[in-house]
Amino acid sequence: MSVARNTTRRASRRTLLTAAAVSAALALTGCVAGEGSGQPTAGSNAAGGTLNIDFATYNPLSLVIKKKGWLETALKDQGVTVKWVQSAGSNKANEALRSGAIDVGSTAGSAALLAKANGSPIKAIDIFSQPEWAALVTKQGSGIRKVADLKGKSVAATKGTDPYFFLLQSLSEAGLSAKDVTVQNLQHADGRAALDNGSVDAWSGLDPIMAGAEQKGATLFYRNLSFNTYGFLNATESFLKDKPKQAQAVVNAYEKARAWAAANPDETAQILADAAGLDLAVAKTVVLQRSNLNVNPAPGEAQRKVLAKIGPTFVETGDVASQKQIDDAVASLLDDSLVKKADASAIKDS
């Protein structure tokens, strides 16, 4: 019995030593339980977790997807919770992407380029619209009829967004610069309020807020479709790397929403009206006349040309330090891989 007990003790010690050695080896290689053994890990394409994605009134497709609950249904089997975060403008979406508050956010192309050139680790994964969503706006009786009339005037604009860059391009075309006006940096809705109460002489507006102001009597005194950049759906590089299945589901949902909106324009306008607190007639103007949701969704040469055109303006205004940063950002921002694999039929109705 004594010999048997001693043999058992020696076997137990060998087992413990072997387990300790394995644990030490795993620690040295950076592995822990569940890693390197077919188990899902945090930050991988694992089931569970939260998809943080924005919705915005300037992105009607985001409103459709949110309303229909398609992403919640598509990601249910993965145990993923969908958290919707509203973006009040491209600048706010960029801030949320940079901080990690959202994984996917919608901006103007110009804003995406500005963020990328200044180091934000994002990729444009889908083009959600080719809008005419920015124009220069004033009140009736202001005496402002053309861009040149803005010299010496105050203009509200949201820096880091398409309307701001629309203003800069418009001034340049008229032989003026930002130094010839006083730019009041206000969020879009506050810009409209400032125009309404007379705090500014003009506003570089954004739909659908702009369409609402127009209905109330404001005048869009300068419009130029070519100064509007595309609607970019952007994702953080870490999200694309760590959660490719979720990223693909997002793009699949956007392509389902694009087809649905084309087939149901009036209902799309109603969804926008409800989300933005607009009259249905105003929402129809935005959706049917000034959004062009039926654009090629693959980020590519068309967007590259627009970004290359607007880029030097960022350097001139000091928003980006060098043209090289612009060139590098243009070269690395666009990613059409998810659109190429998009399958709208994979997104089921909730």
Side-chain angles (χ1 to χ4, degrees), residues 94 107-120 122 124 160 165 229 232 234 303-304 306-314 320 323 325-333:
N94 273 334
T107 74
S110 58
L113 176 61
L114 179 64
K116 184 73 170 180
N118 283 320
S120 184
I122 59 171
F165 300 120
T229 60
F232 279 35
N234 310 298
Q303 291 73 41
R304 193 173 287 109
V306 170
L307 298 181
K309 179 182 176 183
I310 188 68
T313 301
F314 298 161
V320 176
Q323 184 60 42
Q325 289 173 243
I326 294 293
D327 296 340
D328 290 346
V330 171
S332 61
L333 175 61

PDB file of all heavy atoms in Angstrom, residues 94 107-120 122 124 160 165 229 232 234 303-304 306-314 320 323 325-333:
ATOM      1  N   ASN A  94     -17.462  61.729 -38.005  1.00  0.00           N
ATOM      2  CA  ASN A  94     -16.006  61.553 -37.990  1.00  0.00           C
ATOM      3  C   ASN A  94     -15.463  61.492 -36.567  1.00  0.00           C
ATOM      4  O   ASN A  94     -14.568  60.700 -36.262  1.00  0.00           O
ATOM      5  CB  ASN A  94     -15.330  62.689 -38.759  1.00  0.00           C
ATOM      6  CG  ASN A  94     -15.227  62.400 -40.245  1.00  0.00           C
ATOM      7  OD1 ASN A  94     -15.192  61.253 -40.674  1.00  0.00           O
ATOM      8  ND2 ASN A  94     -15.177  63.454 -41.042  1.00  0.00           N
ATOM      9  N   THR A 107     -20.742  59.967 -43.899  1.00  0.00           N
ATOM     10  CA  THR A 107     -20.256  61.330 -44.067  1.00  0.00           C
ATOM     11  C   THR A 107     -20.291  61.708 -45.535  1.00  0.00           C
ATOM     12  O   THR A 107     -20.485  60.863 -46.408  1.00  0.00           O
ATOM     13  CB  THR A 107     -18.796  61.491 -43.588  1.00  0.00           C
ATOM     14  OG1 THR A 107     -17.899  60.873 -44.541  1.00  0.00           O
ATOM     15  CG2 THR A 107     -18.567  60.874 -42.222  1.00  0.00           C
ATOM     16  N   ALA A 108     -20.050  62.980 -45.791  1.00  0.00           N
ATOM     17  CA  ALA A 108     -19.758  63.402 -47.155  1.00  0.00           C
ATOM     18  C   ALA A 108     -18.371  62.903 -47.527  1.00  0.00           C
ATOM     19  O   ALA A 108     -17.520  62.670 -46.659  1.00  0.00           O
ATOM     20  CB  ALA A 108     -19.804  64.922 -47.252  1.00  0.00           C
ATOM     21  N   GLY A 109     -18.136  62.751 -48.823  1.00  0.00           N
ATOM     22  CA  GLY A 109     -16.824  62.321 -49.276  1.00  0.00           C
ATOM     23  C   GLY A 109     -15.721  63.260 -48.845  1.00  0.00           C
ATOM     24  O   GLY A 109     -14.630  62.826 -48.458  1.00  0.00           O
ATOM     25  N   SER A 110     -15.994  64.555 -48.894  1.00  0.00           N
ATOM     26  CA  SER A 110     -14.986  65.548 -48.503  1.00  0.00           C
ATOM     27  C   SER A 110     -14.597  65.379 -47.040  1.00  0.00           C
ATOM     28  O   SER A 110     -13.419  65.460 -46.681  1.00  0.00           O
ATOM     29  CB  SER A 110     -15.530  66.965 -48.736  1.00  0.00           C
ATOM     30  OG  SER A 110     -16.738  67.170 -48.011  1.00  0.00           O
ATOM     31  N   ALA A 111     -15.583  65.116 -46.191  1.00  0.00           N
ATOM     32  CA  ALA A 111     -15.316  64.941 -44.760  1.00  0.00           C
ATOM     33  C   ALA A 111     -14.525  63.668 -44.505  1.00  0.00           C
ATOM     34  O   ALA A 111     -13.646  63.631 -43.629  1.00  0.00           O
ATOM     35  CB  ALA A 111     -16.629  64.927 -43.984  1.00  0.00           C
ATOM     36  N   ALA A 112     -14.833  62.609 -45.251  1.00  0.00           N
ATOM     37  CA  ALA A 112     -14.078  61.367 -45.104  1.00  0.00           C
ATOM     38  C   ALA A 112     -12.618  61.577 -45.490  1.00  0.00           C
ATOM     39  O   ALA A 112     -11.703  61.085 -44.824  1.00  0.00           O
ATOM     40  CB  ALA A 112     -14.698  60.266 -45.964  1.00  0.00           C
ATOM     41  N   LEU A 113     -12.393  62.309 -46.572  1.00  0.00           N
ATOM     42  CA  LEU A 113     -11.025  62.603 -47.004  1.00  0.00           C
ATOM     43  C   LEU A 113     -10.288  63.425 -45.961  1.00  0.00           C
ATOM     44  O   LEU A 113      -9.117  63.144 -45.643  1.00  0.00           O
ATOM     45  CB  LEU A 113     -11.034  63.345 -48.336  1.00  0.00           C
ATOM     46  CG  LEU A 113      -9.669  63.809 -48.855  1.00  0.00           C
ATOM     47  CD1 LEU A 113      -8.737  62.630 -49.085  1.00  0.00           C
ATOM     48  CD2 LEU A 113      -9.829  64.636 -50.124  1.00  0.00           C
ATOM     49  N   LEU A 114     -10.937  64.436 -45.419  1.00  0.00           N
ATOM     50  CA  LEU A 114     -10.318  65.278 -44.394  1.00  0.00           C
ATOM     51  C   LEU A 114      -9.899  64.436 -43.191  1.00  0.00           C
ATOM     52  O   LEU A 114      -8.778  64.577 -42.676  1.00  0.00           O
ATOM     53  CB  LEU A 114     -11.296  66.368 -43.952  1.00  0.00           C
ATOM     54  CG  LEU A 114     -10.820  67.314 -42.859  1.00  0.00           C
ATOM     55  CD1 LEU A 114      -9.625  68.135 -43.322  1.00  0.00           C
ATOM     56  CD2 LEU A 114     -11.948  68.232 -42.403  1.00  0.00           C
ATOM     57  N   ALA A 115     -10.790  63.555 -42.748  1.00  0.00           N
ATOM     58  CA  ALA A 115     -10.487  62.715 -41.591  1.00  0.00           C
ATOM     59  C   ALA A 115      -9.335  61.761 -41.895  1.00  0.00           C
ATOM     60  O   ALA A 115      -8.404  61.618 -41.095  1.00  0.00           O
ATOM     61  CB  ALA A 115     -11.730  61.931 -41.181  1.00  0.00           C
ATOM     62  N   LYS A 116      -9.387  61.125 -43.047  1.00  0.00           N
ATOM     63  CA  LYS A 116      -8.342  60.169 -43.424  1.00  0.00           C
ATOM     64  C   LYS A 116      -6.992  60.863 -43.552  1.00  0.00           C
ATOM     65  O   LYS A 116      -5.963  60.345 -43.087  1.00  0.00           O
ATOM     66  CB  LYS A 116      -8.716  59.492 -44.741  1.00  0.00           C
ATOM     67  CG  LYS A 116      -7.742  58.400 -45.197  1.00  0.00           C
ATOM     68  CD  LYS A 116      -7.872  57.150 -44.356  1.00  0.00           C
ATOM     69  CE  LYS A 116      -7.089  55.991 -44.944  1.00  0.00           C
ATOM     70  NZ  LYS A 116      -7.197  54.770 -44.133  1.00  0.00           N
ATOM     71  N   ALA A 117      -6.976  62.034 -44.169  1.00  0.00           N
ATOM     72  CA  ALA A 117      -5.720  62.766 -44.359  1.00  0.00           C
ATOM     73  C   ALA A 117      -5.104  63.195 -43.039  1.00  0.00           C
ATOM     74  O   ALA A 117      -3.880  63.355 -42.937  1.00  0.00           O
ATOM     75  CB  ALA A 117      -5.958  63.988 -45.247  1.00  0.00           C
ATOM     76  N   ASN A 118      -5.942  63.359 -42.036  1.00  0.00           N
ATOM     77  CA  ASN A 118      -5.450  63.758 -40.717  1.00  0.00           C
ATOM     78  C   ASN A 118      -5.315  62.575 -39.764  1.00  0.00           C
ATOM     79  O   ASN A 118      -5.265  62.742 -38.545  1.00  0.00           O
ATOM     80  CB  ASN A 118      -6.366  64.826 -40.125  1.00  0.00           C
ATOM     81  CG  ASN A 118      -6.115  66.190 -40.743  1.00  0.00           C
ATOM     82  OD1 ASN A 118      -4.980  66.570 -40.995  1.00  0.00           O
ATOM     83  ND2 ASN A 118      -7.189  66.925 -41.020  1.00  0.00           N
ATOM     84  N   GLY A 119      -5.243  61.369 -40.330  1.00  0.00           N
ATOM     85  CA  GLY A 119      -4.871  60.217 -39.525  1.00  0.00           C
ATOM     86  C   GLY A 119      -5.970  59.333 -39.005  1.00  0.00           C
ATOM     87  O   GLY A 119      -5.696  58.364 -38.285  1.00  0.00           O
ATOM     88  N   SER A 120      -7.228  59.617 -39.323  1.00  0.00           N
ATOM     89  CA  SER A 120      -8.300  58.757 -38.834  1.00  0.00           C
ATOM     90  C   SER A 120      -8.265  57.430 -39.590  1.00  0.00           C
ATOM     91  O   SER A 120      -8.293  57.406 -40.820  1.00  0.00           O
ATOM     92  CB  SER A 120      -9.663  59.423 -39.038  1.00  0.00           C
ATOM     93  OG  SER A 120     -10.698  58.640 -38.482  1.00  0.00           O
ATOM     94  N   ILE A 122      -9.867  54.993 -41.188  1.00  0.00           N
ATOM     95  CA  ILE A 122     -11.163  54.609 -41.746  1.00  0.00           C
ATOM     96  C   ILE A 122     -11.022  54.191 -43.200  1.00  0.00           C
ATOM     97  O   ILE A 122     -10.046  54.528 -43.869  1.00  0.00           O
ATOM     98  CB  ILE A 122     -12.195  55.749 -41.654  1.00  0.00           C
ATOM     99  CG1 ILE A 122     -11.695  57.004 -42.406  1.00  0.00           C
ATOM    100  CG2 ILE A 122     -12.533  56.070 -40.203  1.00  0.00           C
ATOM    101  CD1 ILE A 122     -12.740  58.093 -42.546  1.00  0.00           C
ATOM    102  N   ALA A 124     -13.746  53.909 -46.743  1.00  0.00           N
ATOM    103  CA  ALA A 124     -15.071  54.094 -47.322  1.00  0.00           C
ATOM    104  C   ALA A 124     -15.479  52.780 -47.972  1.00  0.00           C
ATOM    105  O   ALA A 124     -14.820  52.320 -48.908  1.00  0.00           O
ATOM    106  CB  ALA A 124     -15.052  55.218 -48.343  1.00  0.00           C
ATOM    107  N   GLY A 160     -15.722  71.058 -41.551  1.00  0.00           N
ATOM    108  CA  GLY A 160     -15.487  69.625 -41.665  1.00  0.00           C
ATOM    109  C   GLY A 160     -16.608  68.880 -42.364  1.00  0.00           C
ATOM    110  O   GLY A 160     -16.642  67.654 -42.337  1.00  0.00           O
ATOM    111  N   PHE A 165     -17.199  72.986 -47.273  1.00  0.00           N
ATOM    112  CA  PHE A 165     -16.336  72.938 -48.444  1.00  0.00           C
ATOM    113  C   PHE A 165     -17.058  73.449 -49.690  1.00  0.00           C
ATOM    114  O   PHE A 165     -16.433  73.970 -50.610  1.00  0.00           O
ATOM    115  CB  PHE A 165     -15.802  71.519 -48.636  1.00  0.00           C
ATOM    116  CG  PHE A 165     -15.001  71.051 -47.458  1.00  0.00           C
ATOM    117  CD1 PHE A 165     -15.375  69.940 -46.734  1.00  0.00           C
ATOM    118  CD2 PHE A 165     -13.886  71.769 -47.035  1.00  0.00           C
ATOM    119  CE1 PHE A 165     -14.658  69.536 -45.625  1.00  0.00           C
ATOM    120  CE2 PHE A 165     -13.162  71.378 -45.913  1.00  0.00           C
ATOM    121  CZ  PHE A 165     -13.549  70.260 -45.209  1.00  0.00           C
ATOM    122  N   THR A 229     -19.924  66.536 -52.790  1.00  0.00           N
ATOM    123  CA  THR A 229     -19.254  65.245 -52.903  1.00  0.00           C
ATOM    124  C   THR A 229     -20.232  64.134 -52.523  1.00  0.00           C
ATOM    125  O   THR A 229     -21.293  64.386 -51.967  1.00  0.00           O
ATOM    126  CB  THR A 229     -17.994  65.185 -52.027  1.00  0.00           C
ATOM    127  OG1 THR A 229     -18.343  65.391 -50.660  1.00  0.00           O
ATOM    128  CG2 THR A 229     -16.988  66.248 -52.446  1.00  0.00           C
ATOM    129  N   PHE A 232     -20.567  58.986 -48.368  1.00  0.00           N
ATOM    130  CA  PHE A 232     -19.658  57.867 -48.085  1.00  0.00           C
ATOM    131  C   PHE A 232     -20.104  57.143 -46.815  1.00  0.00           C
ATOM    132  O   PHE A 232     -20.340  57.779 -45.787  1.00  0.00           O
ATOM    133  CB  PHE A 232     -18.231  58.373 -47.837  1.00  0.00           C
ATOM    134  CG  PHE A 232     -17.428  58.675 -49.069  1.00  0.00           C
ATOM    135  CD1 PHE A 232     -18.017  59.202 -50.209  1.00  0.00           C
ATOM    136  CD2 PHE A 232     -16.064  58.453 -49.079  1.00  0.00           C
ATOM    137  CE1 PHE A 232     -17.262  59.497 -51.343  1.00  0.00           C
ATOM    138  CE2 PHE A 232     -15.300  58.740 -50.207  1.00  0.00           C
ATOM    139  CZ  PHE A 232     -15.893  59.256 -51.343  1.00  0.00           C
ATOM    140  N   ASN A 234     -18.534  54.910 -44.103  1.00  0.00           N
ATOM    141  CA  ASN A 234     -17.172  54.632 -43.642  1.00  0.00           C
ATOM    142  C   ASN A 234     -17.171  53.664 -42.462  1.00  0.00           C
ATOM    143  O   ASN A 234     -18.103  53.655 -41.655  1.00  0.00           O
ATOM    144  CB  ASN A 234     -16.487  55.928 -43.210  1.00  0.00           C
ATOM    145  CG  ASN A 234     -16.606  57.007 -44.259  1.00  0.00           C
ATOM    146  OD1 ASN A 234     -16.117  56.864 -45.372  1.00  0.00           O
ATOM    147  ND2 ASN A 234     -17.271  58.100 -43.913  1.00  0.00           N
ATOM    148  N   GLN A 303     -15.322  58.681 -57.352  1.00  0.00           N
ATOM    149  CA  GLN A 303     -15.072  59.337 -56.069  1.00  0.00           C
ATOM    150  C   GLN A 303     -13.620  59.806 -55.973  1.00  0.00           C
ATOM    151  O   GLN A 303     -13.335  60.881 -55.434  1.00  0.00           O
ATOM    152  CB  GLN A 303     -15.382  58.389 -54.905  1.00  0.00           C
ATOM    153  CG  GLN A 303     -16.860  58.083 -54.729  1.00  0.00           C
ATOM    154  CD  GLN A 303     -17.416  57.158 -55.784  1.00  0.00           C
ATOM    155  OE1 GLN A 303     -16.764  56.192 -56.168  1.00  0.00           O
ATOM    156  NE2 GLN A 303     -18.612  57.439 -56.282  1.00  0.00           N
ATOM    157  N   ARG A 304     -12.714  59.030 -56.521  1.00  0.00           N
ATOM    158  CA  ARG A 304     -11.292  59.408 -56.490  1.00  0.00           C
ATOM    159  C   ARG A 304     -11.075  60.750 -57.197  1.00  0.00           C
ATOM    160  O   ARG A 304     -10.311  61.600 -56.726  1.00  0.00           O
ATOM    161  CB  ARG A 304     -10.452  58.304 -57.135  1.00  0.00           C
ATOM    162  CG  ARG A 304      -8.948  58.429 -56.882  1.00  0.00           C
ATOM    163  CD  ARG A 304      -8.214  57.206 -57.397  1.00  0.00           C
ATOM    164  NE  ARG A 304      -8.450  56.037 -56.540  1.00  0.00           N
ATOM    165  CZ  ARG A 304      -9.188  54.996 -56.877  1.00  0.00           C
ATOM    166  NH1 ARG A 304      -9.765  54.942 -58.065  1.00  0.00           N
ATOM    167  NH2 ARG A 304      -9.349  53.991 -56.040  1.00  0.00           N
ATOM    168  N   VAL A 306     -13.297  63.188 -57.581  1.00  0.00           N
ATOM    169  CA  VAL A 306     -13.874  64.257 -56.759  1.00  0.00           C
ATOM    170  C   VAL A 306     -12.953  64.604 -55.592  1.00  0.00           C
ATOM    171  O   VAL A 306     -12.718  65.782 -55.296  1.00  0.00           O
ATOM    172  CB  VAL A 306     -15.263  63.833 -56.239  1.00  0.00           C
ATOM    173  CG1 VAL A 306     -15.761  64.810 -55.185  1.00  0.00           C
ATOM    174  CG2 VAL A 306     -16.261  63.745 -57.382  1.00  0.00           C
ATOM    175  N   LEU A 307     -12.412  63.593 -54.941  1.00  0.00           N
ATOM    176  CA  LEU A 307     -11.535  63.826 -53.795  1.00  0.00           C
ATOM    177  C   LEU A 307     -10.235  64.524 -54.223  1.00  0.00           C
ATOM    178  O   LEU A 307      -9.743  65.413 -53.516  1.00  0.00           O
ATOM    179  CB  LEU A 307     -11.220  62.505 -53.098  1.00  0.00           C
ATOM    180  CG  LEU A 307     -12.403  61.744 -52.506  1.00  0.00           C
ATOM    181  CD1 LEU A 307     -11.925  60.465 -51.831  1.00  0.00           C
ATOM    182  CD2 LEU A 307     -13.196  62.606 -51.536  1.00  0.00           C
ATOM    183  N   ALA A 308      -9.694  64.120 -55.364  1.00  0.00           N
ATOM    184  CA  ALA A 308      -8.471  64.750 -55.855  1.00  0.00           C
ATOM    185  C   ALA A 308      -8.705  66.228 -56.174  1.00  0.00           C
ATOM    186  O   ALA A 308      -7.803  67.055 -56.019  1.00  0.00           O
ATOM    187  CB  ALA A 308      -7.975  64.010 -57.096  1.00  0.00           C
ATOM    188  N   LYS A 309      -9.929  66.541 -56.560  1.00  0.00           N
ATOM    189  CA  LYS A 309     -10.264  67.934 -56.883  1.00  0.00           C
ATOM    190  C   LYS A 309     -10.389  68.797 -55.633  1.00  0.00           C
ATOM    191  O   LYS A 309      -9.888  69.928 -55.588  1.00  0.00           O
ATOM    192  CB  LYS A 309     -11.578  67.969 -57.673  1.00  0.00           C
ATOM    193  CG  LYS A 309     -12.046  69.363 -58.042  1.00  0.00           C
ATOM    194  CD  LYS A 309     -13.376  69.314 -58.782  1.00  0.00           C
ATOM    195  CE  LYS A 309     -13.904  70.705 -59.072  1.00  0.00           C
ATOM    196  NZ  LYS A 309     -15.247  70.666 -59.743  1.00  0.00           N
ATOM    197  N   ILE A 310     -11.043  68.256 -54.611  1.00  0.00           N
ATOM    198  CA  ILE A 310     -11.272  69.036 -53.397  1.00  0.00           C
ATOM    199  C   ILE A 310     -10.050  69.064 -52.494  1.00  0.00           C
ATOM    200  O   ILE A 310      -9.853  70.003 -51.720  1.00  0.00           O
ATOM    201  CB  ILE A 310     -12.495  68.492 -52.615  1.00  0.00           C
ATOM    202  CG1 ILE A 310     -12.884  69.412 -51.441  1.00  0.00           C
ATOM    203  CG2 ILE A 310     -12.237  67.095 -52.101  1.00  0.00           C
ATOM    204  CD1 ILE A 310     -13.433  70.734 -51.845  1.00  0.00           C
ATOM    205  N   GLY A 311      -9.164  68.064 -52.597  1.00  0.00           N
ATOM    206  CA  GLY A 311      -8.035  67.923 -51.686  1.00  0.00           C
ATOM    207  C   GLY A 311      -7.155  69.154 -51.530  1.00  0.00           C
ATOM    208  O   GLY A 311      -6.845  69.560 -50.395  1.00  0.00           O
ATOM    209  N   PRO A 312      -6.706  69.779 -52.644  1.00  0.00           N
ATOM    210  CA  PRO A 312      -5.833  70.948 -52.499  1.00  0.00           C
ATOM    211  C   PRO A 312      -6.452  72.091 -51.688  1.00  0.00           C
ATOM    212  O   PRO A 312      -5.729  72.864 -51.055  1.00  0.00           O
ATOM    213  CB  PRO A 312      -5.594  71.371 -53.952  1.00  0.00           C
ATOM    214  CG  PRO A 312      -5.727  70.107 -54.732  1.00  0.00           C
ATOM    215  CD  PRO A 312      -6.830  69.351 -54.040  1.00  0.00           C
ATOM    216  N   THR A 313      -7.781  72.167 -51.686  1.00  0.00           N
ATOM    217  CA  THR A 313      -8.452  73.200 -50.896  1.00  0.00           C
ATOM    218  C   THR A 313      -8.160  73.017 -49.414  1.00  0.00           C
ATOM    219  O   THR A 313      -7.991  74.001 -48.669  1.00  0.00           O
ATOM    220  CB  THR A 313      -9.977  73.149 -51.130  1.00  0.00           C
ATOM    221  OG1 THR A 313     -10.249  73.337 -52.512  1.00  0.00           O
ATOM    222  CG2 THR A 313     -10.690  74.228 -50.326  1.00  0.00           C
ATOM    223  N   PHE A 314      -8.075  71.772 -48.957  1.00  0.00           N
ATOM    224  CA  PHE A 314      -7.790  71.505 -47.548  1.00  0.00           C
ATOM    225  C   PHE A 314      -6.403  72.019 -47.163  1.00  0.00           C
ATOM    226  O   PHE A 314      -6.193  72.502 -46.049  1.00  0.00           O
ATOM    227  CB  PHE A 314      -7.849  70.007 -47.263  1.00  0.00           C
ATOM    228  CG  PHE A 314      -9.178  69.363 -47.500  1.00  0.00           C
ATOM    229  CD1 PHE A 314      -9.278  67.990 -47.657  1.00  0.00           C
ATOM    230  CD2 PHE A 314     -10.342  70.107 -47.571  1.00  0.00           C
ATOM    231  CE1 PHE A 314     -10.501  67.374 -47.873  1.00  0.00           C
ATOM    232  CE2 PHE A 314     -11.572  69.517 -47.782  1.00  0.00           C
ATOM    233  CZ  PHE A 314     -11.645  68.147 -47.934  1.00  0.00           C
ATOM    234  N   VAL A 320      -5.387  70.550 -43.693  1.00  0.00           N
ATOM    235  CA  VAL A 320      -4.452  69.435 -43.836  1.00  0.00           C
ATOM    236  C   VAL A 320      -3.076  70.034 -44.085  1.00  0.00           C
ATOM    237  O   VAL A 320      -2.934  71.008 -44.837  1.00  0.00           O
ATOM    238  CB  VAL A 320      -4.855  68.501 -44.991  1.00  0.00           C
ATOM    239  CG1 VAL A 320      -3.822  67.391 -45.184  1.00  0.00           C
ATOM    240  CG2 VAL A 320      -6.235  67.892 -44.734  1.00  0.00           C
ATOM    241  N   GLN A 323       0.083  68.306 -49.169  1.00  0.00           N
ATOM    242  CA  GLN A 323      -0.565  67.627 -50.273  1.00  0.00           C
ATOM    243  C   GLN A 323      -0.277  66.134 -50.244  1.00  0.00           C
ATOM    244  O   GLN A 323      -1.099  65.325 -50.681  1.00  0.00           O
ATOM    245  CB  GLN A 323      -0.095  68.225 -51.607  1.00  0.00           C
ATOM    246  CG  GLN A 323      -0.783  67.640 -52.839  1.00  0.00           C
ATOM    247  CD  GLN A 323      -2.281  67.830 -52.849  1.00  0.00           C
ATOM    248  OE1 GLN A 323      -2.779  68.891 -52.492  1.00  0.00           O
ATOM    249  NE2 GLN A 323      -3.027  66.796 -53.243  1.00  0.00           N
ATOM    250  N   GLN A 325      -0.237  64.226 -47.674  1.00  0.00           N
ATOM    251  CA  GLN A 325      -1.251  63.605 -46.830  1.00  0.00           C
ATOM    252  C   GLN A 325      -2.543  63.394 -47.610  1.00  0.00           C
ATOM    253  O   GLN A 325      -3.220  62.374 -47.455  1.00  0.00           O
ATOM    254  CB  GLN A 325      -1.519  64.474 -45.592  1.00  0.00           C
ATOM    255  CG  GLN A 325      -0.383  64.477 -44.587  1.00  0.00           C
ATOM    256  CD  GLN A 325      -0.612  65.466 -43.458  1.00  0.00           C
ATOM    257  OE1 GLN A 325       0.140  66.424 -43.288  1.00  0.00           O
ATOM    258  NE2 GLN A 325      -1.651  65.248 -42.676  1.00  0.00           N
ATOM    259  N   ILE A 326      -2.875  64.364 -48.455  1.00  0.00           N
ATOM    260  CA  ILE A 326      -4.065  64.246 -49.292  1.00  0.00           C
ATOM    261  C   ILE A 326      -3.905  63.078 -50.260  1.00  0.00           C
ATOM    262  O   ILE A 326      -4.787  62.227 -50.395  1.00  0.00           O
ATOM    263  CB  ILE A 326      -4.318  65.545 -50.080  1.00  0.00           C
ATOM    264  CG1 ILE A 326      -4.671  66.697 -49.128  1.00  0.00           C
ATOM    265  CG2 ILE A 326      -5.426  65.341 -51.123  1.00  0.00           C
ATOM    266  CD1 ILE A 326      -5.983  66.552 -48.411  1.00  0.00           C
ATOM    267  N   ASP A 327      -2.770  63.052 -50.955  1.00  0.00           N
ATOM    268  CA  ASP A 327      -2.530  62.004 -51.953  1.00  0.00           C
ATOM    269  C   ASP A 327      -2.564  60.616 -51.324  1.00  0.00           C
ATOM    270  O   ASP A 327      -3.145  59.677 -51.881  1.00  0.00           O
ATOM    271  CB  ASP A 327      -1.188  62.232 -52.643  1.00  0.00           C
ATOM    272  CG  ASP A 327      -1.149  63.522 -53.446  1.00  0.00           C
ATOM    273  OD1 ASP A 327      -2.234  64.038 -53.781  1.00  0.00           O
ATOM    274  OD2 ASP A 327      -0.028  64.016 -53.730  1.00  0.00           O
ATOM    275  N   ASP A 328      -1.948  60.483 -50.163  1.00  0.00           N
ATOM    276  CA  ASP A 328      -1.926  59.190 -49.474  1.00  0.00           C
ATOM    277  C   ASP A 328      -3.337  58.777 -49.050  1.00  0.00           C
ATOM    278  O   ASP A 328      -3.710  57.596 -49.132  1.00  0.00           O
ATOM    279  CB  ASP A 328      -1.015  59.247 -48.246  1.00  0.00           C
ATOM    280  CG  ASP A 328       0.459  59.355 -48.607  1.00  0.00           C
ATOM    281  OD1 ASP A 328       0.802  59.123 -49.785  1.00  0.00           O
ATOM    282  OD2 ASP A 328       1.254  59.688 -47.712  1.00  0.00           O
ATOM    283  N   ALA A 329      -4.116  59.758 -48.604  1.00  0.00           N
ATOM    284  CA  ALA A 329      -5.474  59.459 -48.164  1.00  0.00           C
ATOM    285  C   ALA A 329      -6.357  59.055 -49.346  1.00  0.00           C
ATOM    286  O   ALA A 329      -7.130  58.090 -49.241  1.00  0.00           O
ATOM    287  CB  ALA A 329      -6.074  60.676 -47.457  1.00  0.00           C
ATOM    288  N   VAL A 330      -6.249  59.768 -50.450  1.00  0.00           N
ATOM    289  CA  VAL A 330      -7.029  59.421 -51.639  1.00  0.00           C
ATOM    290  C   VAL A 330      -6.688  58.005 -52.100  1.00  0.00           C
ATOM    291  O   VAL A 330      -7.562  57.220 -52.495  1.00  0.00           O
ATOM    292  CB  VAL A 330      -6.779  60.431 -52.776  1.00  0.00           C
ATOM    293  CG1 VAL A 330      -7.420  59.941 -54.082  1.00  0.00           C
ATOM    294  CG2 VAL A 330      -7.320  61.810 -52.411  1.00  0.00           C
ATOM    295  N   ALA A 331      -5.415  57.659 -52.014  1.00  0.00           N
ATOM    296  CA  ALA A 331      -4.952  56.350 -52.479  1.00  0.00           C
ATOM    297  C   ALA A 331      -5.404  55.206 -51.580  1.00  0.00           C
ATOM    298  O   ALA A 331      -5.521  54.065 -52.037  1.00  0.00           O
ATOM    299  CB  ALA A 331      -3.430  56.347 -52.591  1.00  0.00           C
ATOM    300  N   SER A 332      -5.692  55.489 -50.314  1.00  0.00           N
ATOM    301  CA  SER A 332      -5.961  54.401 -49.363  1.00  0.00           C
ATOM    302  C   SER A 332      -7.369  54.401 -48.777  1.00  0.00           C
ATOM    303  O   SER A 332      -7.730  53.465 -48.048  1.00  0.00           O
ATOM    304  CB  SER A 332      -4.956  54.479 -48.208  1.00  0.00           C
ATOM    305  OG  SER A 332      -5.077  55.713 -47.512  1.00  0.00           O
ATOM    306  N   LEU A 333      -8.174  55.400 -49.078  1.00  0.00           N
ATOM    307  CA  LEU A 333      -9.481  55.532 -48.430  1.00  0.00           C
ATOM    308  C   LEU A 333     -10.527  54.558 -48.973  1.00  0.00           C
ATOM    309  O   LEU A 333     -11.311  53.974 -48.226  1.00  0.00           O
ATOM    310  CB  LEU A 333      -9.992  56.968 -48.577  1.00  0.00           C
ATOM    311  CG  LEU A 333     -11.399  57.276 -48.063  1.00  0.00           C
ATOM    312  CD1 LEU A 333     -11.510  57.014 -46.571  1.00  0.00           C
ATOM    313  CD2 LEU A 333     -11.778  58.727 -48.374  1.00  0.00           C
TER     314      LEU A 333
END
